[in-house]
Amino acid sequence: MTSYLIRRLGIGVITLLLITFLVYGLVRNIPGTPFTSDMAQMNPSKMMSPEAVEKLNRLYGLDKPWYQAYFYWMSNVVRGDFGVSYSRNNKPVGTLILERMPATLLLSSTSLVLAYLLSVPIGLWSSARADSVSERSVSTLLYMLYSLPAFVAALYLQLLFYVKLDWLPLYGMTSDDYATLSTSGKAWDLLKHATLPVICFTYGSLAFYSRFIRANMQEVLRQDYIRTARAKGVAPRTIIWKHAFRNTLIPFVTLVGLSLPGLFSGAVILEQIFSWPGMGRLYFESIGQRDYNVIMGLTLMFSMLTLAGQLLADILYAVVDPRVTYN
Amino acid sequence: MSTAVIDVNDLKTYFHTEEGVVRAVDGVSFRIEPGRTLGIVGESGSGKSVTSLSIMRLLASSAQIESGRIALLRRDLVRLPEPEMRSIRGKEISMIFQEPMTSLNPVFTVGDQVMEAILLHQKVTKAEARQRTIELFKEVGIPNPEQRVDSYPHQMSGGQKQRVMIAMALSCNPKLLIADEPTTALDVTIQAQILDILRKLRDERGMAILFITHDLGVIAEIADDVLVMYRGEEVEYGPVLEIFANPKHPYTKGLLACRPRLDTPYRLLPTVDDFMTVRVVEGRLEITEKQLDAMRLNELKTHGRGRLLHPLSELAAMGHAVAPIAPGSARGSATMPSTVDPTQRNPPAEPGATKDVQYIPEGTKPLLSVENLEVHFPVRRGLLARTVDHIRAVDGISFKVYRGQTLGLVGESGCGKTTAGRATLRLVEPTGGRVWLDGVDVASLGSADLRQMRRRMQIIFQDPYGSLNPRMTVEAAVTEPMVIQGIGAGRQDRRDRAAALLEEVGLQTVHLRRYPHEFSGGQRQRICIARAIAVEPEFLICDESVSALDVSVQAQVLNLLKRLQETRGLTYIFISHDLSVVKFMADMMAVMNAGKIIEFGPSEAIYRDPREEYTRKLISATPNDDLDHIRQVVAQRERTWVSRK
Amino acid sequence: MLTTPPEVEIALAESAPSAGFWRESWRRFCRRRLALVALAFVVALMAIAAAAPFIAGTKPIICKYKGHIYFPALGYYNRAWENPIFAKDRFRGRYAGTLAEKDPDSWAIFPLVYQDPYRRVRAGEWPDQPENPFGKEGVPSRYNWFGTNPQGFDVFASMVHGAQTAVSVGFVSMGIAAAIGITLGALAGYFGGWIDVLISRVIEVVMCIPSLVLILALVAMLDKVSNVHLMVIVGCTGWTGIARLTRAEFMKLKQLEFVSAARAMGAGASRVMFIHILRNALAPVLVPITFGIADAILIESGLSFLGFGASPPNPSWGTLLSAGRRSIEETWWLIVFPGAAIFLTVLAYNLIGEGLQEATDPRLRQDAH
């Protein structure tokens, strides 16, 4: 197990280097630099003189070719220095990410928990009641939800709950008068703002997970050992939740591992629609502003999380499946 | 009458499919007394498994018990509500299945799975259930039961898993044990052990066993009564000796005759078709017995090829004593090796009959000569995936095959026989050794030369479902080797050749345009044979080619292979786990174990006089349906039966 | 074992050649009503996309002008296909009145709906048709079925022309992705060894970069984004799933005996890969490709929604949505109709994908072992 882990980590580091190298090359080749792109487009009068740009470029090491600059960046990263955000008053990238993290985590963790809590019972219920009328209608509904793009759903919900019914706020994480509210008022305000984003974050994965569980359950229920259990006289309910579900868990935990990066990365489009100050939006803005250090910091984080998620999936796999040992 | 544990009366189970109603079981009746064993024998599609699943009421949703009565101690199971049926399953009736590999839940320990059955049906504590499980494991012969209860299924061998299944089935002292092909997936030596355990437990506990199998040999070893099923119908039912000694129904006769028994007198096997014709009239089977004349049977014994053995000098070098032969008789008749005398069994040769045994003349070059063939697979471990060890799948084997001969490779699963065959053809790259085909070293050929060489050597595989590309028509499959090897002038010519080949293997020209999934297993194997001989090879490897087939189909395919060998002068390596099939087919036999050939010689000689302990074990484990043996077993059973009463 | 009825020997009658795999799969697919409806929807969508200039537009499908026959509507497909004579005669895209004005003998057949995705229809252009409203006045009406956008462009016309984007982006980008994915997956799965290690690493790297990030960065690198750019970018980033599945299928299939049989008859690597393995791997690989088309459509509309899509003027469902979001309190029609179009298209492709899966899955086919 240890040697397996070490090998995986070694490969992971190589993969990370490749990814960051590629992305660095990509973003550095986007036309424009942090000092010429956004502000200039917004307001021509703010355009900096070529000398000023040159000076800033030198200051931030942008005058070097990108592959040299990459090693410069990488060596700083190894020392724990992720650089500063050019367009946000030279705020350190680490601090910036940590500032944005809670907003994203609030949405993603809530929706993850909701999706798991709901999808397991729905999946089990529909495999127990396979082909009944109620099961088929629930499955059809889930299928529709699965195909409904989140940004379309977000806009529809905004139309319904804001424009039509005026029950929930349109966007943002808090109201303008948030600071003046009492603690319970703050919580209520946050809840109201988070409701629509959480729904949009949740329903897709809920539909996906429950369909996944149902499909795997059907596969497992075809196996010989289920027949053995029935021949023992085990009740159908026990067969579903004990014998079959325990086996369905094996592919399911892989999903748990793979959902790890989504927990932190947020969703660009949804955060944009709800003006939610999370990581996805930070990323989106940084690309527009050519804020290289922020882009790279986030890319590094996402890729590390993806790799960690895959590793976690493998480890969980070994936990739930006694056949798997990493030797 | 009331003593029967189970009394099945006119059971009818039908499948309702999109194509219509399939009468899987159509009017089957039997009864089993306590302590007795009923064997149900039949081929695939005979409905034997559906019968057992009907008793357990574990049928798929598309199947339904249409009518009939299944009385367990006078309770009718057909009409029992499901919850009550559940309390019967595992307690009154329990079941073991064919596939021990997949019949245990992989994520629970074997102990847990046995304990679950105990806790379900008996009022005991967990600790007591565990204790009981350990005792059961001891009873079924699992070593170290205290540790083994905490093992997961994947940590056990197939035989041990089947023992766990038996322990589970016996955990609540059932009145009836249904064993559905419990030994089919196991090696013969393991099969013999499992049969021993079942016999022992049956006699100790006095339970009834319903034993389902396709293998008449196994039936002869274990059953008191036999029920023969054919396409859902019961064709014959009676005491085991009666069935074997005096079969009444033509199907039973055919089934008994078409098995290549270890001491079979036949050179070509009779088939079920020799005994009866079947017609479907209004969805019902109509079976008419054929008058089988003695001439035909005699022909099967005397015609067809005899044995063709290695040159006498080589046989002598192997230590198989041979009487001297008259000088100058090149391929002439010779006296048999002293240990073998088949003339005792066979009447004097008739006109048209071929010689029993012939020898390759001295000094002939072998067609195929394998020297120290090795296939080692590396075992990698550790941080840098270094090779720490090798799995010696084939570990330095040598043999010679002469033109026109059949060499049998026999051994249990994992002995390396399949890898040896594939390495000979370079389908697996050998890691060492030489393979000389007619003076050319196949093992060192470059890819272009190898492709040329492939025209001379072909292979027929085991799985009739996996060895044909499902997306290719029969025509495409049979003409493909001709295309690759540049045989035939144009499409039409190749099609004509393919048609001729199909006729040669017993299919029809119209089958050319069909896809493989429409054919039965035997027909597919015929297509594979046609494909293999399409390039007119000299040398053919048959890798378990009949193992997946029903016995009656197996006989037909074996006969076909023998006929082709004669008409086309083919040389075979015949690989199988089934000693009796190998002995029937092969002139010379090599017994393999753990990657090595442990015994090599004329197959008759090895069967009569095995030198190695392992070979002896293999022969004695092969189920015996010799009448004397059955008589002995039955007499002994009657004695214990009487003494118990 | 439990679910299949016993094998019954089929007597093969002398008859026509049997149904091949694909014909059989089609028969199974047809049994699923929803999948068929979805297929009909997609076919209709493709027809609409192909015939968009004939359905909604302000350029005549065919007209006679100064003695010659012209097809100005083709200009919607490609600017160059509109005869330069109309530019020379200063039509400025307004044919309805101008034709008669410049040549009294001219005649023209116009599209079904006189509306334009690229400009606002003014009063008096078309008999009895008022000027297109704009802003919050642009509610759906008998002239503007799905309303108008803030500039007064007709939403129906934009959506009909936007179908071209959706259909072509879906197909072309998945075509690219399938070509890359199947090739790499096949190489990795068939040859194994270091080729597999290398390709698997590449797959892992591409998979680890969040796809939207990669796409945004690539799009940002381009000066003027066209639909072709988008297709290539989506295709070049969306092949990993296909590659992994192809690899797994190849690894599974190469173990089968018919592959060994082909090798034993002397078939070379390419023959084994393409004739034997790929033909069997194609059905399972088609399923993620179908789902991938839905994904590609989603990505395109998402990018357009974020303002990263093809440069304007370019009717895309996502662009309409984006406009709708900016004035969500007033222009609900800019959200409801394009949103529904995206949803239905994605749903249709998903349904087709699932239908395909069930029609070709060997475990669900009882007769084909």
Side-chain angles (χ1 to χ4, degrees):
Chain A
M1 189 77 183
T2 6
S3 78
Y4 171 80
L5 281 180
I6 293 171
R7 201 165 71 228
R8 277 298 293 260
L9 285 176
I11 293 172
V13 168
I14 297 170
T15 314
L16 272 184
L17 284 174
L18 269 170
I19 292 170
T20 48
F21 185 70
L22 278 175
V23 173
Y24 198 86
L26 266 178
V27 294
R28 274 293 300 271
N29 281 306
I30 298 175
T33 73
F35 317 113
T36 59
S37 68
D38 221 42
M39 290 165 253
Q41 279 164 18
M42 294 287 172
N43 186 351
S45 67
K46 272 196 182 169
M47 186 125 76
M48 282 182 276
S49 67
E51 294 79 36
V53 171
E54 185 76 6
K55 203 176 128 204
L56 278 170
N57 275 350
R58 237 194 332 274
L59 185 65
Y60 288 110
L62 300 182
D63 54 338
K64 299 193 189 70
W66 64 271
Y67 40 89
Q68 278 181 26
Y70 170 74
F71 287 109
Y72 181 69
W73 174 80
M74 196 69 228
S75 59
N76 281 337
V77 165
V78 172
R79 270 178 265 130
D81 175 10
F82 292 90
V84 297
S85 164
Y86 315 119
S87 49
R88 287 169 213 271
N89 299 326
N90 289 346
K91 197 179 254 186
V93 170
T95 322
L96 191 60
I97 291 179
L98 283 181
E99 269 178 25
R100 292 294 190 101
M101 186 100 57
T104 288
L105 270 179
L106 175 71
L107 289 191
S108 56
S109 53
T110 317
S111 82
L112 197 73
V113 169
L114 276 178
Y116 281 133
L117 280 186
L118 294 175
S119 62
V120 171
I122 293 177
L124 291 187
W125 173 81
S126 49
S127 28
R129 289 262 180 288
D131 286 329
S132 67
V133 177
S134 53
E135 185 269 337
R136 264 198 231 152
S137 29
V138 168
S139 292
T140 314
L141 182 71
L142 285 174
Y143 201 79
M144 309 266 277
L145 283 182
Y146 171 65
S147 300
L148 180 63
F151 60 96
V152 174
L155 293 172
Y156 276 22
L157 287 174
Q158 284 182 335
L159 271 183
L160 180 65
F161 289 104
Y162 174 72
V163 180
K164 187 104 177 123
L165 300 172
D166 198 19
W167 287 355
L168 295 169
L170 185 56
Y171 42 61
M173 200 163 123
T174 51
S175 305
D176 296 336
D177 56 352
Y178 183 72
T180 65
L181 294 173
S182 64
T183 316
S184 58
K186 278 180 176 170
W188 178 242
D189 188 53
L190 207 56
L191 181 73
K192 280 208 298 196
H193 280 87
T195 304
L196 290 186
V198 165
I199 291 175
C200 294
F201 254 94
T202 311
Y203 79 87
S205 35
L206 171 68
F208 178 73
Y209 291 152
S210 29
R211 283 173 51 76
F212 183 89
I213 290 176
R214 180 170 175 268
N216 278 286
M217 285 292 281
Q218 282 182 331
E219 175 69 33
V220 169
L221 286 172
R222 270 200 285 269
Q223 300 297 315
D224 285 349
Y225 52 77
I226 296 299
R227 186 180 56 185
T228 308
R230 289 175 68 200
K232 263 194 277 192
V234 182
R237 190 183 298 246
T238 320
I239 286 183
I240 293 265
W241 66 255
K242 185 175 168 194
H243 289 264
F245 183 57
R246 186 68 177 66
N247 280 282
T248 306
L249 261 182
I250 295 169
F252 193 60
V253 293
T254 331
L255 283 186
V256 178
L258 297 181
S259 63
L260 184 68
L263 206 54
F264 293 90
S265 70
V268 174
I269 298 183
L270 278 183
E271 292 191 355
Q272 196 67 12
I273 292 179
F274 290 107
S275 299
W276 195 265
M279 312 280 270
R281 219 162 151 236
L282 179 64
Y283 197 91
F284 185 66
E285 289 163 3
S286 306
I287 287 188
Q289 293 157 343
R290 312 287 187 267
D291 203 340
Y292 301 143
N293 283 340
V294 180
I295 300 176
M296 290 313 295
L298 286 170
T299 304
L300 188 65
M301 192 189 81
F302 294 158
S303 320
M304 270 167 70
L305 284 170
T306 309
L307 290 172
Q310 286 172 357
L311 193 61
L312 181 72
D314 281 359
I315 293 170
L316 286 177
Y317 210 95
V319 172
V320 291
D321 190 344
R323 283 164 295 184
V324 176
T325 49
Y326 296 110
N327 282 324
Chain B
M1 284 304 265
S2 56
T3 52
V5 175
I6 188 116
D7 191 342
V8 173
N9 201 345
D10 199 25
L11 175 69
K12 289 183 179 167
T13 304
Y14 295 171
F15 279 82
H16 298 269
T17 67
E18 287 167 29
E19 281 80 27
V21 176
V22 178
R23 296 191 173 99
V25 179
D26 205 10
V28 169
S29 309
F30 58 82
R31 39 189 279 120
I32 315 175
E33 313 274 329
R36 308 288 283 182
T37 302
L38 171 72
I40 298 189
V41 67
E43 299 180 289
S44 54
S46 65
K48 55 189 192 304
S49 286
V50 179
T51 306
S52 67
L53 291 173
S54 303
I55 296 173
M56 289 295 271
R57 292 248 313 265
L58 286 178
L59 292 160
S61 54
S62 60
Q64 213 188 334
I65 300 176
E66 300 289 319
S67 69
R69 220 168 55 92
I70 302 171
L72 177 81
L73 301 170
R74 270 173 290 173
R75 242 186 318 171
D76 190 0
L77 300 185
V78 177
R79 265 161 280 280
L80 212 58
E82 179 61 25
E84 282 181 50
M85 191 63 217
R86 252 190 341 258
S87 67
I88 286 180
R89 283 188 207 124
K91 187 165 178 244
E92 316 268 336
I93 312 175
S94 53
M95 191 161 177
I96 49 182
F97 299 96
Q98 174 172 0
E99 276 297 332
M101 296 300 171
T102 55
S103 290
L104 287 168
N105 196 326
V107 298
F108 297 116
T109 62
V110 290
D112 278 345
Q113 296 185 55
V114 178
M115 279 162 64
E116 185 184 25
I118 299 174
L119 291 167
L120 258 174
H121 299 295
Q122 294 171 20
K123 286 200 177 65
V124 291
T125 64
K126 267 202 156 160
E128 284 166 346
R130 190 182 160 87
Q131 198 46 47
R132 182 100 185 76
T133 305
I134 294 172
E135 281 160 24
L136 281 164
F137 276 21
K138 234 176 258 165
E139 230 178 312
V140 296
I142 296 173
N144 299 327
E146 286 83 2
Q147 281 95 56
R148 280 320 223 169
V149 283
D150 295 321
S151 299
Y152 285 96
H154 71 276
Q155 294 162 326
M156 300 183 125
S157 67
Q160 282 188 329
K161 277 186 224 178
Q162 201 59 298
R163 285 168 208 254
V164 171
M165 286 296 291
I166 295 173
M168 189 190 299
L170 297 183
S171 61
C172 300
N173 271 319
K175 307 275 189 311
L176 171 69
L177 174 70
I178 302 177
D180 187 355
E181 303 256 12
T183 58
T184 307
L186 305 173
D187 280 327
V188 302
T189 50
I190 311 292
Q191 164 171 291
Q193 293 167 11
I194 296 286
L195 290 179
D196 271 342
I197 293 168
L198 284 176
R199 273 190 292 250
K200 189 188 85 174
L201 293 170
R202 171 194 64 192
D203 296 343
E204 284 170 8
R205 294 167 179 242
M207 65 183 175
I209 295 183
L210 177 60
F211 197 101
I212 291 161
T213 181
H214 69 284
D215 188 339
L216 279 164
V218 172
I219 284 282
E221 294 274 359
I222 196 162
D224 300 307
D225 299 293
V226 179
L227 184 138
V228 184
M229 286 185 74
Y230 180 68
R231 298 208 194 171
E233 289 180 12
E234 171 182 329
V235 297
E236 194 158 0
Y237 179 31
V240 59
L241 194 58
E242 191 62 24
I243 296 274
F244 276 81
N246 194 11
K248 304 232 161 35
H249 194 276
Y251 178 70
T252 319
K253 291 179 192 169
L255 213 54
L256 282 168
C258 71
R259 230 172 67 87
R261 298 187 351 212
L262 273 172
D263 54 355
T264 185
Y266 294 112
R267 289 191 185 172
L268 288 173
L269 293 166
T271 61
V272 172
D273 293 341
D274 289 330
F275 292 86
M276 64 182 207
T277 45
V278 183
R279 280 191 312 154
V280 180
V281 181
E282 290 161 16
R284 299 276 165 181
L285 294 178
E286 203 170 80
I287 298 171
T288 358
E289 180 154 11
K290 269 192 198 168
Q291 276 314 311
L292 189 74
D293 55 306
M295 274 284 285
R296 162 93 177 127
L297 275 188
N298 207 19
E299 250 177 48
L300 291 171
K301 286 179 188 168
T302 53
H303 287 56
R305 67 187 288 281
R307 308 273 186 193
L308 179 60
L309 301 184
H310 274 34
L312 283 166
S313 59
E314 283 185 38
L315 290 179
M318 284 170 213
H320 288 281
V322 177
I325 53 159
S329 68
R331 246 179 118 144
S333 146
T335 337
M336 283 306 299
S338 59
T339 46
V340 187
D341 193 3
T343 45
Q344 280 181 349
R345 302 193 131 256
N346 289 331
E350 286 165 39
T354 41
K355 300 268 180 350
D356 264 331
V357 175
Q358 294 178 330
Y359 296 95
I360 300 285
E362 298 293 334
T364 313
K365 285 235 159 56
L367 176 68
L368 178 82
S369 170
V370 170
E371 292 168 11
N372 285 318
L373 186 68
E374 273 180 10
V375 183
H376 290 182
F377 298 114
V379 179
R380 294 178 202 279
R381 241 186 230 123
L383 198 52
L384 299 167
R386 263 192 318 235
T387 306
V388 290
D389 201 1
H390 285 95
I391 292 171
R392 295 160 199 276
V394 177
D395 199 13
I397 62 169
S398 307
F399 56 82
K400 285 179 193 157
V401 190
Y402 291 91
R403 200 177 286 277
Q405 253 189 336
T406 301
L407 169 77
L409 268 186
V410 69
E412 295 187 293
S413 55
C415 73
K417 55 189 191 300
T418 290
T419 314
R422 295 193 180 200
T424 307
L425 292 189
R426 287 243 339 247
L427 289 176
V428 171
E429 285 298 320
T431 46
R434 298 251 172 279
V435 178
W436 300 98
L437 183 74
D438 215 4
V440 182
D441 181 13
V442 179
S444 63
L445 281 181
S447 62
D449 293 333
L450 182 64
R451 185 173 305 185
Q452 294 251 300
M453 202 53 138
R454 296 224 179 276
R455 189 173 167 173
R456 307 180 60 180
M457 46 191 206
Q458 280 295 311
I459 180 165
I460 302 162
F461 295 98
Q462 167 175 16
D463 180 8
Y465 296 104
S467 50
L468 286 168
N469 188 337
R471 302 281 189 283
M472 277 187 168
T473 58
V474 172
E475 179 184 338
V478 178
T479 53
E480 192 189 17
M482 300 185 222
V483 173
I484 293 171
Q485 295 290 350
I487 295 170
R491 232 191 130 121
Q492 188 56 45
D493 182 34
R494 283 195 279 270
R495 181 179 301 155
D496 293 343
R497 282 166 186 257
L501 285 166
L502 283 194
E503 306 260 342
E504 190 173 350
V505 298
L507 293 170
Q508 296 154 30
T509 312
V510 287
H511 293 155
L512 276 177
R513 291 193 293 172
R514 297 192 171 272
Y515 284 90
H517 69 85
E518 290 179 75
F519 295 90
S520 67
Q523 288 170 321
R524 287 183 209 210
Q525 213 57 314
R526 285 171 194 268
I527 298 169
C528 292
I529 294 172
R531 178 178 62 183
I533 59 175
V535 293
E536 288 158 13
E538 299 155 52
F539 161 56
L540 204 54
I541 292 185
C542 305
D543 184 3
E544 298 271 16
S545 302
V546 295
S547 310
L549 304 177
D550 278 325
V551 263
S552 63
V553 181
Q554 170 182 297
Q556 297 168 0
V557 174
L558 290 177
N559 286 348
L560 172 66
L561 286 171
K562 277 204 160 187
R563 225 185 53 229
L564 288 173
Q565 183 168 31
E566 273 190 304
T567 53
R568 292 181 163 252
L570 288 166
T571 307
Y572 287 147
I573 289 185
F574 194 91
I575 300 171
S576 178
H577 68 284
D578 188 338
L579 191 69
S580 44
V581 172
V582 171
K583 190 186 151 270
F584 174 74
M585 287 297 289
D587 305 318
M588 302 292 290
M589 188 198 286
V591 182
M592 278 190 77
N593 188 26
K596 292 196 159 71
I597 290 181
I598 55 161
E599 191 159 6
F600 187 85
S603 32
E604 287 282 354
I606 286 187
Y607 168 59
R608 303 276 161 196
D609 179 24
R611 311 227 167 123
E612 297 294 322
E613 181 55 40
Y614 180 77
T615 317
R616 269 199 285 277
K617 211 173 80 184
L618 218 53
I619 294 173
S620 71
T622 304
N624 190 350
D625 58 0
D626 192 69
L627 278 180
D628 294 335
H629 178 73
I630 298 177
R631 250 179 226 120
Q632 244 173 30
V633 173
V634 169
Q636 202 191 340
R637 290 273 294 136
E638 290 307 324
R639 277 199 298 280
T640 50
W641 191 240
V642 171
S643 70
R644 275 176 65 89
K645 282 198 168 166
Chain C
M1 282 302 284
L2 203 61
T3 48
T4 47
E7 186 189 2
V8 177
E9 188 106 2
I10 318 146
L12 293 167
E14 297 189 20
S15 63
S18 60
F21 173 79
W22 293 110
R23 210 191 310 168
E24 181 66 18
S25 299
W26 170 244
R27 207 169 56 80
R28 284 165 184 285
F29 186 86
C30 288
R31 267 191 228 149
R32 300 179 55 84
R33 234 181 316 145
L34 264 180
L36 263 190
V37 171
L39 187 66
F41 177 85
V42 168
V43 169
L45 189 71
M46 287 197 277
I48 288 173
F54 311 124
I55 297 171
T58 53
K59 297 176 183 176
I61 300 168
I62 181 169
C63 66
K64 187 171 187 183
Y65 178 64
K66 291 184 176 168
H68 288 93
I69 296 285
Y70 297 105
F71 305 94
L74 295 181
Y76 281 115
Y77 294 114
N78 188 331
R79 277 285 157 84
W81 293 351
E82 196 174 342
N83 199 291
I85 188 168
F86 298 112
K88 208 179 77 199
D89 289 357
R90 296 178 174 276
F91 270 58
R92 296 215 177 94
R94 236 153 269 171
Y95 286 83
T98 328
L99 270 176
E101 187 186 302
K102 305 229 170 181
D103 177 12
D105 294 336
S106 68
W107 54 263
I109 298 173
F110 280 90
L112 293 174
V113 176
Y114 187 83
Q115 285 294 351
D116 201 290
Y118 299 109
R119 62 183 189 84
R120 183 177 170 208
V121 170
R122 299 285 170 172
E125 272 187 47
W126 193 252
D128 303 328
Q129 187 166 324
E131 182 175 54
N132 276 1
F134 63 94
K136 63 177 172 182
E137 305 298 320
V139 289
S141 66
R142 55 176 290 224
Y143 300 108
N144 307 105
W145 296 353
F146 291 170
T148 62
N149 78 354
Q151 289 86 45
F153 297 8
D154 183 61
V155 173
F156 175 75
S158 299
M159 279 179 60
V160 166
H161 285 255
Q164 283 181 340
T165 311
V167 167
S168 58
V169 166
F171 269 95
V172 177
S173 60
M174 269 308 111
I176 296 170
I180 302 176
I182 289 176
T183 313
L184 289 183
L187 289 174
Y190 184 73
F191 289 106
W194 63 268
I195 297 182
D196 181 31
V197 171
L198 195 77
I199 292 176
S200 298
R201 241 347 42 83
V202 173
I203 294 174
E204 195 174 288
V205 168
V206 178
M207 275 183 77
C208 274
I209 308 177
S211 61
L212 203 58
V213 165
L214 192 59
I215 292 168
L216 283 178
L218 285 171
V219 171
M221 282 173 69
L222 298 164
D223 236 2
K224 194 170 174 342
V225 187
S226 71
N227 274 334
V228 177
H229 288 133
L230 284 182
M231 293 172 197
V232 172
I233 288 172
V234 173
C236 288
T237 52
W239 53 269
T240 49
I242 298 170
R244 292 222 307 185
L245 191 82
T246 311
R247 175 176 171 268
E249 280 295 317
F250 265 65
M251 293 201 340
K252 193 179 80 193
L253 287 167
K254 79 173 177 187
Q255 313 278 344
L256 289 187
E257 288 184 341
F258 69 81
V259 174
S260 299
R263 294 209 296 131
M265 61 182 82
S270 59
R271 190 180 184 92
V272 172
M273 277 171 77
F274 293 111
I275 294 195
H276 288 281
I277 304 184
L278 188 59
R279 269 167 93 175
N280 285 282
L282 215 52
V285 173
L286 259 181
V287 174
I289 290 178
T290 318
F291 291 134
I293 293 178
D295 274 348
I297 290 171
L298 260 184
I299 291 174
E300 189 280 324
S301 49
L303 283 175
S304 301
F305 179 76
L306 287 175
F308 269 69
S311 314
N314 181 31
S316 158
W317 298 343
T319 317
L320 290 169
L321 272 184
S322 167
R325 180 187 169 245
R326 260 176 260 130
S327 53
I328 191 165
E329 292 170 57
E330 290 151 359
T331 53
W332 56 268
W333 56 89
L334 282 176
I335 289 171
V336 169
F337 297 114
I342 296 173
F343 168 52
L344 289 177
T345 311
V346 170
L347 179 65
Y349 275 109
N350 282 345
L351 282 173
I352 293 174
E354 194 171 71
L356 251 168
Q357 190 162 30
E358 299 206 355
T360 58
D361 189 339
R363 281 170 311 187
L364 304 173
R365 300 165 69 110
Q366 291 175 351
D367 53 352
H369 288 266

